[in-house]
Amino acid sequence: MSAQQDIKRLTAPDILARKGGAPIVCLTSYHAHTARLMDNYCDIILVGDSLGMVMHGLETTVPVTLDMMILQGLAVMRGSRRALVVVDMPFGSYEASKEQAFMSAVRVMKETGCGAIKMEGGKRLAETIAFLVERGVPVMAHVGLTPQSINTIGSFRAQGRDEADWPRIEEDARAVAAAGAFSMVIEAVAEPLARKLTAAVAIPTIGIGASAACDGQVLVLEDMLGLSARVPKFVKRYGELGPSIEQAVATYAEEVRERRFPGPEHTYPMRGKKA
Ligand code: KIV
Protein backbone atom coordinates (compact mmCIF):
# COMPACT_ATOMS: atom_id res chain seq x y z
CA MET A 1 0.00 0.00 0.00
CA SER A 2 1.44 3.44 -0.91
CA ALA A 3 1.99 6.23 1.63
CA GLN A 4 -0.77 8.13 -0.15
CA GLN A 5 -3.30 5.42 0.58
CA ASP A 6 -2.22 5.31 4.26
CA ILE A 7 -3.80 8.69 4.94
CA LYS A 8 -7.27 8.10 6.31
CA ARG A 9 -9.84 10.77 5.73
CA LEU A 10 -11.75 12.00 8.77
CA THR A 11 -15.40 10.98 8.84
CA ALA A 12 -18.58 12.47 10.26
CA PRO A 13 -18.46 10.02 13.22
CA ASP A 14 -14.85 11.14 13.93
CA ILE A 15 -16.09 14.72 14.17
CA LEU A 16 -19.09 13.75 16.31
CA ALA A 17 -16.70 12.00 18.73
CA ARG A 18 -14.87 15.30 19.24
CA LYS A 19 -17.76 16.86 21.21
CA GLY A 20 -16.28 18.65 24.21
CA GLY A 21 -12.76 17.56 23.18
CA ALA A 22 -9.99 19.26 21.19
CA PRO A 23 -11.47 22.21 19.27
CA ILE A 24 -12.45 21.43 15.68
CA VAL A 25 -10.69 23.45 12.96
CA CYS A 26 -12.70 24.26 9.86
CA LEU A 27 -12.21 26.61 6.91
CA THR A 28 -14.02 27.05 3.64
CA SER A 29 -12.42 26.13 0.33
CA TYR A 30 -13.80 26.02 -3.19
CA HIS A 31 -10.69 24.90 -5.08
CA ALA A 32 -8.11 22.12 -5.29
CA HIS A 33 -5.20 24.50 -4.63
CA THR A 34 -6.54 26.08 -1.42
CA ALA A 35 -7.83 22.70 -0.20
CA ARG A 36 -4.32 21.26 -0.65
CA LEU A 37 -2.78 24.08 1.42
CA MET A 38 -5.20 23.68 4.34
CA ASP A 39 -5.62 19.90 4.39
CA ASN A 40 -2.90 19.26 7.02
CA TYR A 41 -4.38 21.78 9.44
CA CYS A 42 -8.13 21.48 9.10
CA ASP A 43 -10.42 18.76 10.45
CA ILE A 44 -13.22 19.89 8.15
CA ILE A 45 -13.08 21.67 4.81
CA LEU A 46 -16.42 23.28 4.07
CA VAL A 47 -17.35 23.90 0.45
CA GLY A 48 -19.70 26.70 1.44
CA ASP A 49 -22.29 28.27 -0.80
CA SER A 50 -20.53 31.51 0.18
CA LEU A 51 -18.65 30.69 -3.05
CA GLY A 52 -21.47 32.54 -4.82
CA MET A 53 -20.45 35.80 -3.16
CA VAL A 54 -16.70 35.15 -2.77
CA MET A 55 -15.89 33.57 -6.16
CA HIS A 56 -18.69 34.78 -8.38
CA GLY A 57 -19.33 38.28 -7.00
CA LEU A 58 -23.01 37.62 -6.29
CA GLU A 59 -24.83 39.79 -3.74
CA THR A 60 -26.24 36.79 -1.83
CA THR A 61 -26.01 32.98 -1.85
CA VAL A 62 -29.56 32.63 -3.21
CA PRO A 63 -28.61 32.18 -6.91
CA VAL A 64 -26.05 29.40 -6.21
CA THR A 65 -26.94 26.12 -7.94
CA LEU A 66 -26.35 22.45 -7.17
CA ASP A 67 -24.09 22.20 -10.25
CA MET A 68 -21.88 25.01 -8.91
CA MET A 69 -21.55 23.23 -5.56
CA ILE A 70 -20.74 19.90 -7.22
CA LEU A 71 -18.06 21.38 -9.48
CA GLN A 72 -16.24 23.07 -6.59
CA GLY A 73 -16.83 20.13 -4.22
CA LEU A 74 -15.10 17.86 -6.69
CA ALA A 75 -12.14 20.26 -6.92
CA VAL A 76 -11.81 20.32 -3.11
CA MET A 77 -11.94 16.52 -2.94
CA ARG A 78 -9.14 16.35 -5.52
CA GLY A 79 -7.02 18.80 -3.52
CA SER A 80 -7.44 17.15 -0.11
CA ARG A 81 -6.77 13.75 1.40
CA ARG A 82 -7.26 14.02 5.16
CA ALA A 83 -9.96 16.51 6.11
CA LEU A 84 -13.65 15.69 6.10
CA VAL A 85 -15.11 17.57 3.13
CA VAL A 86 -18.62 18.94 3.73
CA VAL A 87 -20.53 20.40 0.77
CA ASP A 88 -23.28 22.98 1.28
CA MET A 89 -26.69 22.30 -0.22
CA PRO A 90 -27.70 25.49 -2.06
CA PHE A 91 -30.99 27.35 -1.69
CA GLY A 92 -33.82 25.53 -3.45
CA SER A 93 -32.15 22.11 -3.51
CA TYR A 94 -33.62 20.68 -0.28
CA GLU A 95 -36.51 22.72 1.16
CA ALA A 96 -39.43 21.38 -0.91
CA SER A 97 -39.50 17.90 0.62
CA LYS A 98 -37.32 15.34 2.35
CA GLU A 99 -37.28 13.35 -0.90
CA GLN A 100 -35.97 16.37 -2.84
CA ALA A 101 -33.30 16.85 -0.17
CA PHE A 102 -32.28 13.19 -0.40
CA MET A 103 -32.00 13.21 -4.20
CA SER A 104 -29.93 16.44 -4.13
CA ALA A 105 -27.67 15.06 -1.39
CA VAL A 106 -27.20 11.81 -3.31
CA ARG A 107 -26.07 13.78 -6.37
CA VAL A 108 -23.60 15.78 -4.27
CA MET A 109 -22.17 12.70 -2.56
CA LYS A 110 -21.96 10.52 -5.69
CA GLU A 111 -20.57 13.23 -7.97
CA THR A 112 -18.02 14.74 -5.53
CA GLY A 113 -17.16 11.87 -3.19
CA CYS A 114 -17.53 14.23 -0.19
CA GLY A 115 -18.19 12.85 3.29
CA ALA A 116 -21.16 14.98 4.35
CA ILE A 117 -23.52 17.77 3.35
CA LYS A 118 -24.69 20.91 5.15
CA MET A 119 -28.17 22.44 5.19
CA GLU A 120 -29.39 25.71 6.69
CA GLY A 121 -32.34 25.62 9.08
CA GLY A 122 -33.47 24.41 12.47
CA LYS A 123 -36.69 22.80 13.65
CA ARG A 124 -38.35 22.95 10.23
CA LEU A 125 -35.57 20.74 8.83
CA ALA A 126 -35.56 18.11 11.58
CA GLU A 127 -37.69 15.61 9.68
CA THR A 128 -35.53 16.02 6.56
CA ILE A 129 -32.32 15.57 8.54
CA ALA A 130 -33.63 12.33 10.11
CA PHE A 131 -34.72 11.06 6.67
CA LEU A 132 -31.27 11.71 5.18
CA VAL A 133 -29.27 10.34 8.12
CA GLU A 134 -31.37 7.12 8.18
CA ARG A 135 -30.46 6.69 4.49
CA GLY A 136 -26.70 7.17 4.85
CA VAL A 137 -26.23 10.91 4.37
CA PRO A 138 -24.26 12.59 7.19
CA VAL A 139 -25.72 16.05 7.81
CA MET A 140 -24.13 19.15 9.29
CA ALA A 141 -26.88 21.56 10.34
CA HIS A 142 -26.66 25.37 10.37
CA VAL A 143 -28.60 27.54 12.86
CA GLY A 144 -28.55 31.15 14.07
CA LEU A 145 -28.05 33.41 11.05
CA THR A 146 -29.01 31.46 7.93
CA PRO A 147 -27.88 33.57 4.94
CA GLN A 148 -30.03 31.69 2.39
CA SER A 149 -33.07 33.26 4.14
CA ILE A 150 -31.83 36.80 3.43
CA ASN A 151 -35.00 37.69 1.54
CA THR A 152 -37.22 36.89 4.51
CA ILE A 153 -34.94 38.06 7.34
CA GLY A 154 -33.93 41.29 5.55
CA SER A 155 -30.25 41.58 6.59
CA PHE A 156 -27.20 39.59 7.65
CA ARG A 157 -27.46 40.83 11.25
CA ALA A 158 -26.52 38.84 14.35
CA GLN A 159 -29.22 36.61 15.83
CA GLY A 160 -30.34 36.26 19.44
CA ARG A 161 -29.13 39.68 20.61
CA ASP A 162 -32.50 39.99 22.27
CA GLU A 163 -32.84 37.31 24.96
CA ALA A 164 -36.48 36.83 23.97
CA ASP A 165 -35.20 35.10 20.76
CA TRP A 166 -33.09 32.54 22.62
CA PRO A 167 -35.75 29.87 23.19
CA ARG A 168 -36.52 29.73 19.43
CA ILE A 169 -32.84 29.35 18.51
CA GLU A 170 -32.28 26.79 21.27
CA GLU A 171 -35.29 24.84 20.01
CA ASP A 172 -33.70 24.83 16.54
CA ALA A 173 -30.37 23.56 17.90
CA ARG A 174 -32.00 20.83 19.98
CA ALA A 175 -34.21 19.73 17.08
CA VAL A 176 -31.38 19.27 14.54
CA ALA A 177 -29.23 17.46 17.12
CA ALA A 178 -32.10 15.12 18.04
CA ALA A 179 -32.74 14.48 14.33
CA GLY A 180 -29.25 13.02 13.94
CA ALA A 181 -27.03 15.83 12.58
CA PHE A 182 -23.38 15.03 13.39
CA SER A 183 -22.51 18.70 14.00
CA MET A 184 -23.96 22.15 13.52
CA VAL A 185 -22.70 25.52 12.41
CA ILE A 186 -23.86 28.33 14.70
CA GLU A 187 -23.61 31.63 12.85
CA ALA A 188 -23.57 35.16 14.27
CA VAL A 189 -24.88 34.76 17.80
CA ALA A 190 -23.65 36.40 21.02
CA GLU A 191 -21.34 34.48 23.34
CA PRO A 192 -23.83 33.63 26.14
CA LEU A 193 -26.23 32.08 23.64
CA ALA A 194 -23.43 30.15 21.87
CA ARG A 195 -22.36 28.79 25.27
CA LYS A 196 -25.94 27.79 26.11
CA LEU A 197 -26.46 26.03 22.76
CA THR A 198 -23.11 24.22 22.99
CA ALA A 199 -24.05 22.94 26.45
CA ALA A 200 -27.55 21.96 25.32
CA VAL A 201 -26.58 19.56 22.50
CA ALA A 202 -24.52 16.37 22.37
CA ILE A 203 -23.04 17.20 18.95
CA PRO A 204 -20.17 19.61 18.19
CA THR A 205 -21.05 23.23 17.52
CA ILE A 206 -18.89 25.00 14.94
CA GLY A 207 -19.03 28.75 15.44
CA ILE A 208 -18.71 31.55 12.91
CA GLY A 209 -19.09 34.87 14.66
CA ALA A 210 -20.33 32.91 17.66
CA SER A 211 -17.44 33.21 20.16
CA ALA A 212 -14.90 30.72 21.51
CA ALA A 213 -17.66 28.98 23.50
CA CYS A 214 -18.29 26.64 20.53
CA ASP A 215 -16.65 23.23 20.02
CA GLY A 216 -14.91 24.45 16.87
CA GLN A 217 -14.56 27.42 14.53
CA VAL A 218 -15.06 28.07 10.83
CA LEU A 219 -14.08 31.09 8.74
CA VAL A 220 -14.35 31.87 5.06
CA LEU A 221 -10.75 31.49 3.81
CA GLU A 222 -10.77 34.57 1.58
CA ASP A 223 -12.10 36.69 4.47
CA MET A 224 -9.30 35.67 6.84
CA LEU A 225 -6.65 36.09 4.11
CA GLY A 226 -7.59 39.68 3.29
CA LEU A 227 -8.96 38.81 -0.16
CA SER A 228 -12.55 39.91 0.45
CA ALA A 229 -13.49 43.55 -0.06
CA ARG A 230 -15.94 43.62 2.88
CA VAL A 231 -15.91 41.24 5.84
CA PRO A 232 -18.15 40.85 8.89
CA LYS A 233 -16.92 42.41 12.15
CA PHE A 234 -16.10 39.04 13.71
CA VAL A 235 -13.51 38.11 11.06
CA LYS A 236 -9.88 38.23 12.14
CA ARG A 237 -7.46 38.76 9.25
CA TYR A 238 -4.61 36.26 9.40
CA GLY A 239 -3.08 37.51 6.13
CA GLU A 240 -3.23 40.43 3.69
CA LEU A 241 -3.00 38.63 0.36
CA GLY A 242 -5.05 41.22 -1.54
CA PRO A 243 -2.32 43.89 -1.55
CA SER A 244 0.42 41.25 -2.24
CA ILE A 245 -1.46 39.94 -5.28
CA GLU A 246 -2.07 43.44 -6.58
CA GLN A 247 1.63 44.32 -6.13
CA ALA A 248 2.73 41.17 -7.98
CA VAL A 249 0.34 41.90 -10.86
CA ALA A 250 1.47 45.54 -11.05
CA THR A 251 5.16 44.49 -11.19
CA TYR A 252 4.44 41.90 -13.89
CA ALA A 253 2.47 44.45 -15.95
CA GLU A 254 5.31 46.97 -15.71
CA GLU A 255 7.94 44.41 -16.75
CA VAL A 256 5.86 43.25 -19.72
CA ARG A 257 5.25 46.82 -20.88
CA GLU A 258 8.98 47.62 -20.60
CA ARG A 259 9.93 44.33 -22.35
CA ARG A 260 11.88 43.23 -19.23
CA PHE A 261 9.85 39.99 -18.97
CA PRO A 262 10.59 37.34 -20.08
CA GLY A 263 14.34 37.79 -19.74
CA PRO A 264 16.84 35.17 -20.97
CA GLU A 265 16.53 33.13 -17.73
CA HIS A 266 12.84 32.56 -18.45
CA THR A 267 13.20 31.82 -22.17
CA TYR A 268 13.89 28.38 -23.72
CA PRO A 269 17.41 28.26 -25.21
CA MET A 270 18.05 26.62 -28.58
CA ARG A 271 19.26 23.01 -28.20
CA GLY A 272 22.97 22.89 -27.41
CA LYS A 273 23.22 26.61 -26.71
CA LYS A 274 23.32 28.26 -23.27
CA ALA A 275 20.67 30.93 -22.58
O1 KIV B 1 -21.31 29.13 2.99
C1 KIV B 1 -20.46 29.17 3.89
O2 KIV B 1 -19.28 29.46 3.68
C2 KIV B 1 -20.91 28.86 5.23
C3 KIV B 1 -20.02 29.24 6.36
C4 KIV B 1 -19.97 30.70 6.49
C5 KIV B 1 -20.40 28.56 7.62
O3 KIV B 1 -21.99 28.37 5.41
Side-chain angles (χ1 to χ4, degrees), residues 26-30 46-52 54 61 69 88 118 120 140 142 145 147-148 185-187 206-208 218-221 223 234:
C26 177
L27 278 173
T28 62
S29 165
Y30 323 122
L46 173 65
V47 187
D49 64 350
S50 52
L51 64 80
V54 175
T61 55
M69 297 310 304
D88 241 345
K118 175 166 85 59
E120 290 184 11
M140 175 184 274
H142 184 149
L145 174 64
Q148 291 176 8
V185 166
I186 300 181
E187 181 161 355
I206 316 284
I208 175 157
V218 57
L219 280 177
V220 170
L221 179 72
D223 290 355
F234 60 76

